[in-house]
Amino acid sequence: MRSVRGSSRGDREDRGWLRGAPPPWWVRVLPVLLLVAVGSATMATPHARDLGFLLGAIPPLAVLSYGPLMTGLLGVGVIVVLNVPATHLNSPGNTDLLTIVFVAALSVFVSYVRSHRDAQLNTERAIGEAVQRAVLPPLPDRVRRVRCATFYRAAQDGTLVGGDFFDVRAGPYGVRAVMGDVQGHGLSAVATVVSLLGAFREAALDQPDLESVAARLDRRLAVDSADVRHAELFATALLLEFAAGTAAVRVVACGHPPPVLLCEGEAREVNVAPGPPLGIGLVGTEPPKEITVVLGPGDRLFLASDGVWEARDAADAFYPLPERLAALTGTPSAELPAAVWADLVRRHYEVRDDVTMLVLAPEPQEPPDG
């Protein structure tokens, strides 16, 4: 769900109002406070009459926050204050008064246009969010015996989907999961994300092993970029399989950072067999190798995208994810991704890419009947 670049959610929302989002509270109350402050000051002392010029700014400021009706009421309020004897402002020249009336009327018109534009933008944003949520729907808390917890934050402001993707699916070969990172980020990468997720969801049902799933994803990228000159389309991916009847997990890495195993209060990177990224053509090259990791009761796997692994602090040092996870092993799985994000923000690490985190916690196998 953000570029982020180490900023807090409140900072992003405050900046977003300039692109159609609701303005922050201080922008909404500023016209009213200004009208009350100038009116009170000029009524208290005639020496404050020089502040009267500030009243001319109230209708344009109201346009940023209010609709035509409220903007018009504030404009009328300005004219009333100018003509009340107690404010000592009741002798403006005709030209000055006509200027204020014209500015107020123009502000009402601009507010009307802005309100209609905002309504159209809200409709388009709702449609865009529905499409993006269809691409990456929220994961359930559990897929068969595997509990899931996710965190997703797109690097490009105003988007819910970027260049990262993930999914967890149950099929005839067990529960399979994928996390990947497409070249680039933002809306330009969404088409590739859609293509890869579709290929994974089919392959998770059809292919007998993870190497075959990786080959299907690689072929999908190769086909998509075949007719595009200098496409250089590639993606990293991490594939996992929790087969039924076993306490182990199978892992295939295609250029993606390895998962981190949280076990008995410790956190360590899983020693995967690194394979080439998807899209460069696995045919004729050494294909990625599957490795098997035996899991004990309570063990969890933490998957993260480059946005987490490559976050940098002021000294240009990378975020020490395994070390920080070791300090957070007591955090429940459902809260762990958000806790890592909070740790990133608290330690002032600069995030330069989409951020995706996925916690997979398989429950112990039930003993077979008999």
Side-chain angles (χ1 to χ4, degrees):
M1 283 328 57
R2 243 352 337 94
S3 63
V4 176
R5 295 191 172 88
S7 62
S8 67
R9 181 177 180 182
D11 293 337
R12 295 180 74 190
E13 289 177 349
D14 284 348
R15 293 195 303 268
W17 70 275
L18 295 174
R19 295 183 294 274
W25 65 271
W26 57 269
V27 175
R28 293 193 293 269
V29 302
L30 184 58
V32 178
L33 289 179
L34 193 59
L35 181 61
V36 172
V38 174
S40 301
T42 53
M43 290 178 68
T45 172
H47 300 292
R49 63 191 308 170
D50 292 338
L51 297 176
F53 76 95
L54 294 174
L55 295 174
I58 292 176
L61 286 175
V63 171
L64 300 175
S65 305
Y66 300 109
L69 178 60
M70 188 62 183
T71 301
L73 290 176
L74 286 170
V76 171
V78 169
I79 296 172
V80 170
V81 170
L82 284 173
N83 288 277
V84 171
T87 62
H88 311 287
L89 298 172
N90 60 326
S91 58
N94 290 333
T95 302
D96 295 338
L97 187 58
L98 288 175
T99 300
I100 295 295
V101 172
F102 175 77
V103 170
L106 183 62
S107 298
V108 171
F109 173 75
V110 173
S111 178
Y112 174 80
V113 173
R114 183 194 60 80
S115 298
H116 278 258
R117 184 209 62 182
D118 288 351
Q120 182 179 3
L121 287 176
N122 288 336
T123 301
E124 294 174 356
R125 186 182 296 112
I127 294 173
E129 289 182 356
V131 172
Q132 293 180 72
R133 291 190 186 280
V135 173
L136 277 180
L139 282 182
D141 295 335
R142 179 203 297 264
V143 179
R144 287 188 182 169
R145 67 182 183 94
V146 180
R147 292 189 176 274
C148 310
T150 60
F151 182 96
Y152 191 94
R153 190 180 184 92
Q156 183 173 330
D157 283 342
T159 62
L160 299 178
V161 177
D164 289 356
F165 62 95
F166 60 90
D167 201 3
V168 181
R169 293 278 164 163
Y173 304 100
V175 177
R176 287 175 170 176
V178 64
M179 174 177 286
D181 186 359
V182 173
Q183 175 196 21
H185 56 262
L187 294 175
S188 60
V190 173
T192 307
V193 167
V194 172
S195 182
L196 285 175
L197 281 175
F200 168 76
R201 289 161 183 168
E202 291 184 0
L205 298 175
D206 301 335
Q207 300 302 317
D209 52 63
L210 289 183
E211 291 97 334
S212 301
V213 176
R216 176 74 68 86
L217 298 181
D218 178 77
R219 186 181 68 178
R220 179 72 268 166
L221 279 183
V223 170
D224 289 348
S225 59
D227 297 329
V228 181
R229 188 176 181 182
H230 306 304
E232 298 181 355
L233 186 61
F234 66 90
T236 64
L238 194 62
L239 298 164
L240 297 90
E241 177 184 285
F242 301 87
T246 176
V249 59
R250 301 184 179 99
V251 183
V252 167
C254 301
H256 198 83
V260 179
L261 176 62
L262 281 67
C263 175
E264 297 180 350
E266 298 180 353
R268 60 178 177 85
E269 294 183 33
V270 175
N271 188 20
V272 299
L278 303 172
I280 64 174
L282 298 182
V283 178
T285 65
E286 185 69 19
K289 299 296 184 182
E290 178 184 280
I291 63 108
T292 301
V293 180
V294 178
L295 301 177
D299 288 357
R300 298 174 290 175
L301 290 167
F302 188 96
L303 287 64
S305 64
D306 290 342
V308 179
W309 287 95
E310 298 180 359
R312 297 172 184 264
D313 61 10
D316 209 34
F318 289 118
Y319 181 67
L321 180 59
E323 175 186 326
R324 298 307 306 153
L325 283 174
L328 297 169
T329 52
T331 307
S333 297
E335 302 172 10
L336 187 56
V340 173
W341 173 254
D343 189 64
L344 273 166
V345 174
R346 183 173 59 252
R347 293 173 176 269
H348 304 289
Y349 277 83
E350 182 183 10
V351 179
R352 303 175 181 178
D353 203 348
D354 302 323
V355 169
T356 306
M357 290 175 274
L358 175 62
V359 178
L360 300 173
E363 296 180 344
Q365 291 279 352
E366 296 181 0
D369 295 339

